[in-house]
Amino acid sequence: MDKLIIAGREFSSRLFLGTGKFGSNEIMKNSVIASGTEMVTVALKRVDVWKEEDELLQHLHLPQINLLPNTSGVRNAKEAVLAAQMAREALHTNWLKLEIHPDPRYLLPDPIETLKATEELVKLGFIVLPYINADPVLCKKLEDVGTAAVMPLGSPIGSNNGLQTRAMLEIIIEQSNVPVIVDAGIGAPSHAAFAMELGADAVLVNTAIAIAGNPIVMAEAFKLAVFAGRMAYKNNLASPIRVAMASSPFDLSLLDIN
Amino acid sequence: MLNHSFTQIFNQFNWEEVCSRINNSTEEDVKRALNKSGRLIPEDFMALISPAAKNHLEELINKSYSITRKRFGNTIQMYIPMYLSNECNNVCTYCGFSLGNKLPRTTLTDEEILNEVAVIKAMGYDHILLVTGEDNQKVGIEYIAHAIEIIHLHFAHISLEVQPMEKEEYEKLISFGLNTVLVYQETYHEKNYKIYHPKGRKSNFNFRLETADRLGEAGIHKIGLGVLLGLEDWRADSFFTALHLHYLNKTYWRTKYSISFPRLRPAEGDFEPKYPMSENELLQLICAFRIFDENVELSLSTRESQTFRDKIFELGITSMSAGSKTDPGGYASNIHALEQFHISDDRTSAEVAEVIRSRGFEVVWKDWDVVMQ
C-alpha cells in the first residue's frame, strides 16, 4: 500500500484507532497490535499525563505507535489550547487531534471554535488534526490557517451509522490539499472500505472495534478492509453502471463500419 | 421565580392524571415505545415504567444493555462521596441529618479535609462528590468555595450535593473548579413535599424545582437529577424526572445530565416508605431511562446491596460508588456514629472494582481533567 504522509511523517497503515470503550487495557492493546495501526488517539481526560505509570498509557508503549492526544471534553478554543499545551509538555508530542464539542450528548464539533483554535495552535507550533463536521468550506478555511489534515465525520460519533455525509465527503476529498481522515460513524469494515474507495486518505475507528464480540479479530477485519478499499481506489475502481453491459468489450469489426 | 423555567412545563401536568396515564398504559403502548425508531418523548417513558411493561422486562433489559454498550462502551466509571458536614437546618422526615435528630454535629476543618483526601486518593479515586447537610451559615457558599479550592488540584472531577443556591453563587463555585451539581427534588408531589419538608429553606418547593435552571444558566458542566424513590408514587415521580431531563436537554444543551436512584428500602431504619419499590422495579426504571435517553449518565450508589449491584450494573448503569462513608471524616477515622444513611454494599472499592473487571469491564477512575470546566 502506498504511504500516507501527514506533516512530513510517513505512515504505512491508513487505519487510526481510538482507545476508549474497550473492556480492558489488555484487549485495547492487542486490538491496536492486530489492526496494524501506527496512530492511536488518547483522550487527555482519560489519562493522568503526569503519572508515568498511568495504566492506559503504559499499554501503548509500542515501538510502531504514534500517540495522538485528543482534547475531547473541552468546550471552546481557550480550553483546547490549555489542553494542547499540557499534552505537549507531558507527552512530548506536538501532534494533536483537536476536538471541541460544546454539546456533550452527540459530541458534535463546534466549527467556529475549532477554526479559531487551529489557527492559534498552528502558530504555537502544533501539528493539528481537527475533528469537524463534513463541511467543505470549513475544510478550506482550516487549510488556509495551516491544518495538517482534516477529520470530517461520517455520521455522529459512536453511532455506527456509516457514511451518512457521503455527498459532502466527496466534495471535501475532491477539493482537499491536506489528508482527509474520515472519523466517527464508521461501524463496519464495509464502511471503512467504502470511505477508502471514495478516496479518503485514512479512517479512524473506535466503537466498532471496542465493543465487538471479539475486538482483536474485528481490528484485523478493519485492517483488511482499509487495505482493500485503498487498493481499489488506487486502481481505478469501476463505476456502478445502470444498464447491463457485456463484460467483454464489444468487437467493432463485427459491425462492418468504417 | 424565573421567567422561563421548568415551572412552566411542570404546571401543565397534574399528579393524579399522570398516575392514571401511567397505570393505564397498555402492552401496545409498551411495544410501541420499545420499537420506536428515533427519539423517545416523555409520553413514551410513561409506557416503559408502567405496570404493563413488567411483562416486557427482558426486552427492556436487552435494549438498555445494547444502547449502553454502544454509547459508553465496556466501561464503568467510579466516584466516591466525601461528607464535609452533617450540620443541617432542615427538617426532612426521612433523613438522618434532620434538624431534630440528636446526633453529634461536625464540620470538617482544612486539615480533616486533607486527611480524607489522602485516604480517598489512595483508594484510587479521581472523581469526588462533596456532600453537606443544608446549613447556610455553617456550610454556606464561603465554606464550600474554600473546600473546593483546597481539593481542586487533587481530583480530576468535582461534584457537589448541598443546598440549592443562586445562579451567581454557582458561577463563583464553577470558577473555583466545580464541575457537577446534584440536586434531587426528593418528590415532585408539590402538596406532600411540604409534609416531608415542614421546616427550613428546603420547604420552598419552587426554589428547589428551579435549581437546575439556575445551574444551566450558570453554565455548569453537569447536573444530576433524582427523586427519593418510595416517598411518593415512584412512577409518577420518575415521569416528572424524565420530563425535567427532557426540558433541560433542550434548554441547556451544553450541559450533561445524570440520574441517580436513591431508593428508600423497606424495613431499614425508622422511615417506612409509603410506596415501596422492589428491585425488579428499580431495574425496570434504570432500563427505561436508558431507552428514553441514550446519553444520560445513570448512577448506582452503595445504598443498594452487593447482590443487586453485581447483578445489574452492566444493564444500563454508567457510574458507581464503592467503599463509601456517609459521615464527615469517615474515611480517615474509624468512628462512624454520624451517618446519613446506612450503606448496604460495604465492600472496599478494590473489591468492587475486581468484580467489575472480572465481568469484562474496564474500571474508569479518571474521565475528566482540571484543564476542562
Side-chain angles (χ1 to χ4, degrees):
Chain A
M1 189 160 59
D2 59 320
K3 298 253 199 269
L4 164 68
I5 299 170
I6 304 174
R9 188 181 290 176
E10 281 191 3
F11 297 86
S12 302
S13 162
R14 289 173 179 269
L15 174 59
F16 293 5
L17 243 62
T19 50
K21 296 188 175 181
F22 284 88
S24 74
N25 286 324
E26 204 54 37
I27 296 174
M28 184 269 291
K29 177 185 176 174
N30 289 327
S31 304
V32 165
I33 294 170
S35 74
T37 188
E38 293 162 346
M39 182 74 113
V40 300
T41 57
V42 175
L44 287 166
K45 66 187 170 92
R46 274 281 281 112
V47 297
D48 189 342
V49 291
W50 304 107
K51 204 159 110 189
E52 282 235 354
E53 69 277 19
D54 182 90
E55 233 197 293
L56 197 152
L57 288 177
Q58 278 204 332
H59 280 82
L60 292 172
H61 284 161
L62 299 164
Q64 73 277 23
I65 295 299
N66 294 281
L67 283 188
L68 184 60
N70 80 47
T71 59
S72 172
V74 306
R75 301 199 290 181
N76 54 46
K78 195 175 146 211
E79 284 181 6
V81 171
L82 274 177
Q85 286 168 325
M86 180 182 80
R88 177 160 69 180
E89 195 181 331
L91 300 174
H92 313 292
T93 175
N94 60 346
W95 286 59
L96 186 81
K97 181 180 170 196
L98 179 63
E99 273 185 54
I100 302 180
H101 34 72
D103 146 40
R105 277 174 286 283
Y106 299 102
L107 308 177
L108 292 169
D110 181 330
I112 297 159
E113 294 295 311
T114 302
L115 182 61
K116 217 160 92 182
T118 302
E119 183 165 18
E120 203 173 328
L121 289 166
V122 168
K123 282 182 189 152
L124 291 168
F126 284 92
I127 291 165
V128 184
L129 292 80
Y131 169 57
I132 49 170
N133 217 312
D135 178 344
V137 174
L138 177 62
C139 287
K140 296 313 280 181
K141 288 192 160 187
L142 286 163
E143 255 182 44
D144 291 344
V145 299
T147 195
V150 288
M151 304 184 76
L153 55 82
S155 49
I157 195 164
S159 69
N160 294 335
N161 273 335
L163 305 190
Q164 302 287 326
T165 57
R166 172 185 174 172
M168 295 301 139
L169 289 174
E170 285 179 328
I171 298 172
I172 291 170
I173 290 165
E174 177 200 332
Q175 295 184 337
S176 190
N177 292 311
V178 293
V180 177
I181 302 151
V182 176
D183 186 357
I186 293 182
S190 55
H191 300 156
F194 184 48
M196 299 309 292
E197 287 169 10
L198 290 180
D201 295 281
V203 295
L204 189 147
V205 182
N206 187 351
T207 305
I209 293 175
I211 68 167
N214 186 331
I216 300 160
V217 175
M218 191 57 75
E220 193 179 357
F222 270 97
K223 171 187 174 173
L224 298 172
V226 169
F227 190 70
R230 182 67 184 176
M231 272 175 79
Y233 172 72
K234 291 299 277 185
N235 290 282
N236 300 329
L237 182 65
S239 306
I241 292 154
R242 288 183 193 284
V243 192
M245 240 196 232
S247 51
S248 9
F250 200 78
D251 186 349
L252 287 178
S253 66
L254 293 176
L255 281 180
D256 193 26
I257 46 174
N258 295 310
Chain B
M1 201 187 290
L2 299 166
N3 288 336
H4 298 285
S5 77
F6 179 60
T7 308
Q8 283 87 43
I9 311 263
F10 177 76
N11 286 339
Q12 295 167 17
F13 289 81
N14 166 286
W15 181 274
E16 279 71 31
E17 213 177 288
V18 165
C19 288
S20 95
R21 280 173 71 185
I22 296 170
N23 290 326
N24 291 329
S25 294
T26 63
E27 297 226 1
E28 284 311 307
D29 296 329
V30 178
K31 284 183 198 158
R32 201 178 312 118
L34 272 169
N35 295 319
K36 189 169 182 179
S37 64
R39 304 289 159 213
L40 271 65
I41 56 173
E43 282 68 17
D44 299 318
F45 184 78
M46 283 185 171
L48 295 177
I49 57 169
S50 70
K54 279 187 174 181
N55 300 329
H56 297 268
L57 188 56
E58 205 178 321
E59 289 158 84
L60 263 86
I61 289 172
N62 284 329
K63 188 150 192 192
S64 169
Y65 174 84
S66 62
I67 294 171
T68 312
R69 297 290 74 77
K70 183 172 78 106
R71 176 62 181 82
F72 296 91
N74 299 325
T75 65
I76 293 285
Q77 284 195 20
M78 302 295 285
Y79 74 95
I80 195 161
M82 172 170 147
Y83 280 67
L84 296 172
S85 173
N86 60 0
E87 295 285 356
C88 196
N89 285 336
N90 292 320
V91 174
C92 304
T93 54
Y94 48 82
C95 178
F97 287 176
S98 193
L99 179 65
N101 287 5
K102 297 263 176 291
L103 76 162
R105 304 283 173 167
T106 185
T107 299
L108 300 188
T109 62
D110 288 8
E111 193 190 340
E112 287 167 331
I113 290 174
L114 290 171
N115 288 341
E116 294 286 276
V117 166
V119 179
I120 289 170
K121 288 294 285 186
M123 290 159 85
Y125 286 96
D126 230 331
H127 292 193
I128 195 163
L129 166 64
L130 304 179
V131 188
T132 67
E134 302 195 359
D135 185 327
N136 283 309
Q137 305 303 316
K138 297 198 176 87
V139 286
I141 171 89
E142 296 308 325
Y143 176 84
I144 292 166
H146 178 67
I148 292 173
E149 197 176 14
I150 61 176
I151 70 159
H152 167 239
L153 289 177
H154 296 281
F155 292 96
H157 189 275
I158 299 178
S159 306
L160 189 64
E161 187 181 341
V162 303
Q163 64 273 23
M165 293 180 183
E166 300 290 351
K167 178 186 161 198
E168 295 71 25
E169 294 177 311
Y170 286 132
E171 283 168 347
K172 176 174 174 179
L173 295 180
I174 291 168
S175 75
F176 277 71
L178 177 66
N179 307 109
T180 294
V181 172
L182 311 185
V183 58
Y184 306 148
Q185 188 62 29
E186 317 297 15
T187 178
Y188 289 87
H189 194 301
E190 191 169 359
K191 210 169 95 224
N192 290 355
Y193 180 93
K194 298 271 188 216
I195 299 174
Y196 302 116
H197 309 100
K199 255 188 92 178
R201 279 186 55 163
K202 194 169 175 178
S203 64
N204 186 340
F205 178 87
N206 279 92
F207 186 70
R208 199 169 186 90
L209 190 67
E210 291 185 343
T211 307
D213 281 284
R214 295 192 299 277
L215 281 162
E217 288 188 356
I220 191 86
H221 169 62
K222 187 159 68 184
I223 300 173
L225 303 175
V227 288
L228 203 44
L229 297 161
L231 207 53
E232 285 296 324
D233 183 330
W234 65 264
R235 290 194 170 89
D237 259 334
S238 299
F239 165 77
F240 282 107
T241 311
L243 188 71
H244 206 163
L245 173 68
H246 188 71
Y247 158 81
L248 292 168
N249 262 326
K250 287 206 288 191
T251 312
Y252 307 104
W253 60 275
R254 288 179 177 82
T255 299
K256 245 181 176 173
Y257 300 92
S258 71
I259 306 282
S260 305
F261 302 94
R263 180 171 70 112
L264 287 170
R265 300 177 60 204
E268 287 218 352
D270 301 327
F271 192 83
E272 272 298 315
K274 227 172 24 174
Y275 297 88
M277 179 194 215
S278 71
E279 288 188 343
N280 264 354
E281 288 169 337
L282 176 53
L283 175 58
Q284 180 188 351
L285 179 63
I286 290 169
C287 295
F289 264 111
R290 173 56 65 230
I291 297 166
F292 176 60
D293 186 335
E294 294 195 358
N295 299 303
V296 70
E297 295 184 6
L298 302 179
S299 176
L300 195 63
S301 82
T302 53
R303 266 178 190 266
E304 294 299 331
S305 73
Q306 166 178 348
T307 329
F308 181 66
R309 296 214 310 160
D310 286 0
K311 219 187 297 175
I312 68 111
F313 77 80
E314 59 200 291
L315 306 179
I317 293 299
T318 55
S319 72
M320 288 170 80
S321 54
S324 308
K325 306 285 184 220
T326 66
D327 53 330
Y331 295 104
S333 89
N334 283 319
I335 313 151
H336 305 298
L338 321 171
E339 288 179 341
Q340 185 191 26
F341 62 89
H342 185 66
I343 299 295
S344 301
D345 182 351
D346 57 5
R347 288 172 293 175
T348 65
S349 54
E351 284 165 344
V352 173
E354 194 41 50
V355 170
I356 296 170
R357 275 189 212 105
S358 73
R359 299 266 284 277
F361 286 77
E362 174 71 11
V363 178
V364 173
W365 302 95
K366 178 178 182 292
D367 193 38
W368 208 243
D369 202 278
V370 287
V371 297
M372 298 156 184
Q373 196 289 305

